[in-house]
Amino acid sequence: HVPVLVSLVILLASGLLLAASDIETFLPSAWFWVKIALVVLLMINGSVLTLTERRLGEALTEADWMRLRTTAWASIVLWTATAVVGLVLPNIS
């Protein structure tokens, strides 16, 4: 997941640069800020998932497996929400 986390940092930086290119449009847009927040949540979720994966070589507890399941489901939900907001954003802004 490290390459995904690096890509998310690049995605966040490009989104902020996009906002800087047309501040009048994106700064007041709630949809833009929702998408930025979703990307940040994806970064946090990816970090938790990466830390949990690193423990896979060790004996995992039930709590570790629950964290792995939860972060996997959160990833699916967050990616879907980010894609939907990404489709809505150009049509609303």
Side-chain angles (χ1 to χ4, degrees):
H1 282 92
V2 174
V4 173
L5 290 172
V6 170
S7 299
L8 284 170
V9 169
I10 294 168
L11 179 72
L12 180 64
S14 69
L16 293 173
L17 289 172
L18 174 69
S21 73
D22 191 4
I23 260 182
E24 296 83 24
T25 300
F26 291 107
L27 192 60
S29 173
W31 289 104
F32 173 76
W33 293 109
V34 167
K35 185 168 182 183
I36 292 295
L38 287 168
V39 171
V40 170
L41 288 173
L42 277 166
M43 291 169 59
I44 293 167
N45 187 66
S47 298
V48 171
L49 188 56
T50 300
L51 292 173
T52 305
E53 283 179 338
R54 287 187 181 158
R55 295 186 59 187
L56 285 177
E58 305 168 13
L60 294 180
T61 65
E62 185 59 32
D64 293 327
W65 284 110
M66 185 59 144
R67 184 179 305 114
L68 196 58
R69 269 191 301 273
T70 302
T71 54
W73 277 107
S75 182
I76 292 169
V77 169
L78 289 168
W79 277 112
T80 302
T82 303
V84 169
V85 172
L87 290 171
V88 169
L89 184 60
N91 297 314
I92 299 293
S93 297

